[in-house]
Amino acid sequence: MKKIFILFIAISFSAIFIYSCDKDSNTANYTQQTGLAQDYAFVQGIYSDIFKFICQASGDSTLMASGVGMIGGANVIYDSINDKYTFNFGNIKTTNGKSGSFVADCDGDFQEQGTKTSISFNNFYVGNSRVEGSNDITNQGKLSKTTGITIQFTDSINNAIIIKGNDTITFSAGYSVAWSLNSPTNSLDDIYTFGGYISGSTNSGKSFTANISPNALIVFSPSCSHILSGVINMVMNTLDSNNATVVTNVSVDFIQGDGPNNDGCNNQITVTTNGVIASFPLQ
């Protein structure tokens, strides 16, 4: 009887130990997965903003005429001879604000078919995260609509880098973007929609990929400083306690809310991982 009792204790202890290890491993993976989801939302927001700012600048008749203006909190200089926009946010870094500058160098009118715009960064930060690399936006042409004009673009990002805390995120993306101008006299009703793919990896061995349905995933407007709405289904690769790769399907939902201006703007995302739902503020 004594031997059986000792054996029972040993088996029970082993089961508890295994369960504890699995729980710790699951917790570690969940933390990595939600962290990657927030990294994705952060990266997406940066490049969505950049695209939106250039659209706004190219449609600002005062800026185009005078060569100077204010867009998205940046002092903007427009070089009409070289079709170049410089967005300068100043040198003071804030937690959620931008600092430094980026340049949008066009080889023609941004709103005309065939124009290619190359983006470069100069000590550009979003919050405390540094953005490096470049991306190219190409105008694919205009489509007439009853209430206005839609301009189609492609946006290619290759091996760009964001240094965010202890993580260095390297990513590539290929987007199709539609800019719906709607009322030509009111820029506040413009709508932007993204489709395509994005993939990224971190210096700690984690990675993610997302395929975005055309014009269905991300929608945002000039009156909102956050992505307005859209659901992304992602595949994530994280590491367990033995450094083995764990593949997980994760859903990220940019929540559309009431917003202070009744425009649906909300700074929250919902992340669903293995049936577990959690909400996080956009960074």
Side-chain angles (χ1 to χ4, degrees), residues 87-190:
F87 295 77
N88 192 337
F89 294 88
N91 296 320
I92 301 175
K93 290 185 287 185
T94 59
T95 302
N96 297 313
K98 298 176 178 66
S99 64
S101 64
F102 71 85
V103 174
D105 191 356
C106 311
D107 64 5
D109 184 340
F110 182 76
Q111 296 190 25
E112 291 300 325
Q113 183 174 5
T115 296
K116 181 179 178 180
T117 301
S118 297
I119 314 300
S120 58
F121 302 100
N122 180 22
N123 206 33
F124 182 59
Y125 283 80
V126 178
N128 292 314
S129 300
R130 183 182 176 98
V131 182
E132 299 178 354
S134 63
N135 67 297
D136 296 322
I137 300 170
T138 304
N139 188 319
Q140 300 295 334
K142 297 181 179 180
L143 299 174
S144 296
K145 294 188 67 178
T146 303
T147 57
I149 298 292
T150 293
I151 309 179
Q152 301 283 352
F153 296 85
T154 55
D155 190 352
S156 300
I157 304 169
N158 295 303
N159 297 318
I161 293 174
I162 290 180
I163 302 172
K164 184 171 178 280
N166 293 324
D167 278 343
T168 298
I169 310 165
T170 303
F171 61 95
S172 297
Y175 294 122
S176 58
V177 191
W179 173 21
S180 298
L181 281 67
N182 291 317
S183 172
T185 60
N186 180 17
S187 64
L188 294 180
D189 67 355
D190 291 359

Side-chain angles (χ1 to χ4, degrees), residues 1-14:
M1 180 65 69
K2 184 177 181 180
K3 290 182 178 180
I4 294 175
F5 181 70
I6 293 172
L7 179 61
F8 174 76
I9 292 175
I11 293 173
S12 299
F13 177 78
S14 297

Side-chain angles (χ1 to χ4, degrees), residues 28-282:
N29 276 305
Y30 178 75
T31 301
Q32 293 177 62
Q33 290 150 6
T34 54
L36 276 177
Q38 292 175 80
D39 284 347
Y40 161 74
F42 182 70
V43 169
Q44 183 70 65
I46 289 173
Y47 281 88
S48 297
D49 273 352
I50 289 170
F51 182 86
K52 179 172 63 174
F53 292 159
I54 300 169
C55 289
Q56 290 178 304
S58 71
D60 188 325
S61 57
T62 302
L63 168 63
M64 301 291 283
S66 66
V68 294
M70 179 75 73
I71 300 289
N75 291 305
V76 184
I77 298 174
Y78 173 59
D79 176 356
S80 59
I81 296 176
N82 297 300
D83 285 304
K84 182 185 294 185
Y85 302 85
T86 300
F87 295 77
N88 192 337
F89 294 88
N91 296 320
I92 301 175
K93 290 185 287 185
T94 59
T95 302
N96 297 313
K98 298 176 178 66
S99 64
S101 64
F102 71 85
V103 174
D105 191 356
C106 311
D107 64 5
D109 184 340
F110 182 76
Q111 296 190 25
E112 291 300 325
Q113 183 174 5
T115 296
K116 181 179 178 180
T117 301
S118 297
I119 314 300
S120 58
F121 302 100
N122 180 22
N123 206 33
F124 182 59
Y125 283 80
V126 178
N128 292 314
S129 300
R130 183 182 176 98
V131 182
E132 299 178 354
S134 63
N135 67 297
D136 296 322
I137 300 170
T138 304
N139 188 319
Q140 300 295 334
K142 297 181 179 180
L143 299 174
S144 296
K145 294 188 67 178
T146 303
T147 57
I149 298 292
T150 293
I151 309 179
Q152 301 283 352
F153 296 85
T154 55
D155 190 352
S156 300
I157 304 169
N158 295 303
N159 297 318
I161 293 174
I162 290 180
I163 302 172
K164 184 171 178 280
N166 293 324
D167 278 343
T168 298
I169 310 165
T170 303
F171 61 95
S172 297
Y175 294 122
S176 58
V177 191
W179 173 21
S180 298
L181 281 67
N182 291 317
S183 172
T185 60
N186 180 17
S187 64
L188 294 180
D189 67 355
D190 291 359
I191 296 293
Y192 309 85
T193 56
F194 277 64
Y197 77 90
I198 181 171
S199 60
S201 60
T202 72
N203 54 325
S204 55
K206 299 168 288 186
S207 64
F208 62 83
T209 59
N211 291 308
I212 306 169
S213 299
N215 301 333
L217 184 61
I218 297 168
V219 183
F220 62 101
S221 65
S223 60
C224 184
S225 59
H226 306 289
I227 293 172
L228 187 61
S229 66
V231 179
I232 309 151
N233 294 312
M234 307 176 67
V235 177
M236 294 187 179
N237 295 293
T238 54
L239 301 175
D240 65 14
S241 56
N242 296 315
N243 284 328
T245 300
V246 177
V247 180
T248 312
N249 293 312
V250 176
S251 174
V252 179
D253 185 356
F254 293 91
I255 305 170
Q256 186 166 356
D258 294 331
N261 302 314
N262 295 316
D263 55 4
C265 189
N266 196 325
N267 72 334
Q268 297 286 314
I269 58 172
T270 293
V271 179
T272 304
T273 307
N274 292 328
V276 179
I277 302 174
S279 294
F280 300 93
L282 289 168

